[in-house]
Amino acid sequence: MSGTTKKKRDVQAGLLTLRKRMPALENIFDAFGPLVLAQEKAEEVLADWDGYAIPESYAPRFEQGVALLADMELPELGDKYREVFMLMISAVAEGLPALNGQVDGIVAAIGEVENLNDLAKAIWDEDGKLLHSLVEEWQVDEQILAFVGTLALKPFMVRIEPEAAKAIENMSWQKGYCPVCGTFPDLALLRKSGDDNAYLKSHGGQRWLHCSGCGHEWRFKRNTCPWCENEDHEKMRYLQAEERQNERVDICKKCNHYFVTLDTRELVEQPDPRVAPLGLVHLDIKAQEENYQPLAETPWNVL
């Protein structure tokens, strides 16, 4: 339990640090900080949840690029999904008051619903027909329902991730999407290579990707686009602010996708990847102004 408490403190401290360092983004922290904290609270709620079974790993299939949980059925959520959903929708109401009309309608509607797990199933299976039928039945805003419903599934994936990661730790993965759940990353981190010897160290460092779904991290090739695997350096570029040289947005001109990157090699304190993307929203804006699309859609880069 102490580990969970520490993680929660770290998120709060991370948000406070970002506020002090980047006061110009205060409106972003006000809007999306509650969501990050709600995710942490949901992870506490799910600390003892064990309604899942990790699929058996099969190396040849996995190493061809099929994520471990790709074909996994929706786990047994019990009443936990409703509890987590309410945490998420409360955070949306707090951070995004402009949506309160739609939020109030959803809260009222689901209060009459005995089992909310049909919504979880519609999102897990990407079943648009089922989702639309629930929207029709409940008479609520489809976009907001799907948005909150997706947020409410993420803590379940984070809960599953450690066990899933152990199942694949000795297998090879070369893709730019998550080897655990198949979701694209919301952040890249440049880290020192394992050998810090001045003569042997790779000065380019290692690139690690952080999954926007389950929070898994995996190493990925430098100078390669995670989306289309383009390796032509002439079709890749990056943008950064003059005053913050360790922050940048990597852009692939071949597929028109981008991702934000933090160079952590010279940082005394390593950033929390659950919080760090909020401090890089100015780079999302810069890339989207040039009509590039994010690898992973997150609340702060689409709303």
Side-chain angles (χ1 to χ4, degrees), residues 264-282:
T264 71
R265 289 171 294 170
E266 304 303 323
L267 297 181
V268 175
E269 188 172 338
Q270 293 299 299
D272 185 336
R274 299 164 299 176
V275 177
L278 289 180
L280 303 175
V281 168
H282 59 291

Side-chain angles (χ1 to χ4, degrees), residues 41-58:
K41 179 64 176 175
E43 289 171 29
E44 290 182 22
V45 166
L46 297 178
D48 298 324
W49 174 69
D50 59 1
Y52 62 91
I54 300 297
E56 188 172 346
S57 55
Y58 181 56

Side-chain angles (χ1 to χ4, degrees), residues 22-61:
M22 306 188 72
L25 291 179
E26 187 172 21
N27 62 325
I28 297 296
F29 307 137
D30 287 343
F32 303 110
L35 287 178
V36 180
L37 290 168
Q39 292 280 343
E40 280 302 294
K41 179 64 176 175
E43 289 171 29
E44 290 182 22
V45 166
L46 297 178
D48 298 324
W49 174 69
D50 59 1
Y52 62 91
I54 300 297
E56 188 172 346
S57 55
Y58 181 56
R61 186 168 181 264

Side-chain angles (χ1 to χ4, degrees), residues 35 44 79 122 125 129 141 155 186 200 216 220-221 249 294:
L35 287 178
E44 290 182 22
D79 294 328
D125 294 339
K129 187 175 179 181
D141 184 288
D186 56 5
L200 299 176
H216 183 69
F220 188 68
K221 291 183 290 185
V249 55

Side-chain angles (χ1 to χ4, degrees), residues 65-114:
V66 180
L68 178 67
L69 306 183
D71 302 320
M72 183 177 177
E73 293 288 322
L74 178 72
E76 291 295 327
L77 306 182
D79 294 328
K80 294 291 188 181
Y81 185 70
R82 179 185 293 274
E83 190 174 353
V84 173
F85 185 94
M86 292 308 298
L87 282 171
M88 294 300 116
I89 204 162
S90 296
V92 170
E94 179 184 349
L96 302 166
L99 301 180
N100 278 357
Q102 297 96 313
V103 164
D104 289 346
I106 291 171
V107 171
I110 66 171
E112 305 296 319
V113 176
E114 186 175 338

Side-chain angles (χ1 to χ4, degrees), residues 194-214:
D195 191 334
D196 286 341
N197 184 295
Y199 296 99
L200 299 176
K201 184 173 74 173
S202 165
H203 291 287
Q206 298 176 350
R207 176 197 277 170
W208 289 77
L209 302 179
H210 176 266
C211 178
S212 60
C214 69

Side-chain angles (χ1 to χ4, degrees), residues 2-273:
S2 59
T4 304
T5 305
K6 183 177 186 299
K7 283 175 70 176
K8 184 171 186 243
R9 271 204 312 271
D10 286 348
V11 166
Q12 290 170 327
L15 287 169
L16 184 60
T17 299
L18 285 179
R19 281 181 180 277
K20 290 178 178 177
R21 187 164 61 85
M22 306 188 72
L25 291 179
E26 187 172 21
N27 62 325
I28 297 296
F29 307 137
D30 287 343
F32 303 110
L35 287 178
V36 180
L37 290 168
Q39 292 280 343
E40 280 302 294
K41 179 64 176 175
E43 289 171 29
E44 290 182 22
V45 166
L46 297 178
D48 298 324
W49 174 69
D50 59 1
Y52 62 91
I54 300 297
E56 188 172 346
S57 55
Y58 181 56
R61 186 168 181 264
F62 177 83
E63 291 173 2
Q64 287 296 310
V66 180
L68 178 67
L69 306 183
D71 302 320
M72 183 177 177
E73 293 288 322
L74 178 72
E76 291 295 327
L77 306 182
D79 294 328
K80 294 291 188 181
Y81 185 70
R82 179 185 293 274
E83 190 174 353
V84 173
F85 185 94
M86 292 308 298
L87 282 171
M88 294 300 116
I89 204 162
S90 296
V92 170
E94 179 184 349
L96 302 166
L99 301 180
N100 278 357
Q102 297 96 313
V103 164
D104 289 346
I106 291 171
V107 171
I110 66 171
E112 305 296 319
V113 176
E114 186 175 338
N115 185 358
L116 201 58
N117 290 354
D118 281 347
L119 173 62
K121 182 171 177 55
I123 293 168
W124 182 277
D125 294 339
E126 298 182 349
D127 187 339
K129 187 175 179 181
L130 175 57
L131 177 63
H132 189 67
S133 72
L134 294 175
V135 167
E136 289 289 302
E137 181 183 344
W138 300 344
Q139 291 295 294
V140 295
D141 184 288
E142 183 165 348
Q143 186 177 1
I144 304 302
L145 182 67
F147 171 63
V148 181
T150 301
L151 288 175
L153 273 178
K154 180 176 176 178
F156 291 90
M157 299 304 298
V158 173
R159 173 71 180 87
I160 292 169
E161 184 273 335
E163 190 175 333
K166 286 181 183 176
I168 60 174
E169 62 185 353
N170 296 319
M171 295 189 287
S172 174
W173 185 259
Q174 307 293 332
K175 298 297 183 181
Y177 49 85
C178 178
V180 169
C181 69
T183 307
F184 276 92
D186 56 5
L187 178 68
L189 298 154
L190 298 183
R191 292 173 172 153
K192 289 181 179 179
S193 58
D195 191 334
D196 286 341
N197 184 295
Y199 296 99
L200 299 176
K201 184 173 74 173
S202 165
H203 291 287
Q206 298 176 350
R207 176 197 277 170
W208 289 77
L209 302 179
H210 176 266
C211 178
S212 60
C214 69
H216 183 69
E217 294 183 3
W218 70 103
R219 191 176 170 188
F220 188 68
K221 291 183 290 185
R222 291 286 303 269
N223 305 316
T224 301
C225 172
W227 185 274
C228 70
E229 301 181 10
N230 167 43
E231 295 182 335
D232 182 352
H233 69 276
E234 292 186 357
K235 292 184 178 178
M236 302 188 76
R237 57 190 278 245
Y238 64 86
L239 304 170
Q240 63 188 157
E242 196 70 34
E243 63 275 16
R244 283 188 289 273
Q245 294 288 309
N246 70 314
E247 301 174 359
R248 74 188 205 196
V249 55
D250 287 79
I251 289 169
C252 178
K253 293 188 283 186
K254 182 177 179 181
C255 67
N256 289 322
H257 282 88
Y258 77 86
F259 55 98
V260 292
T261 297
L262 266 179
D263 187 342
T264 71
R265 289 171 294 170
E266 304 303 323
L267 297 181
V268 175
E269 188 172 338
Q270 293 299 299
D272 185 336

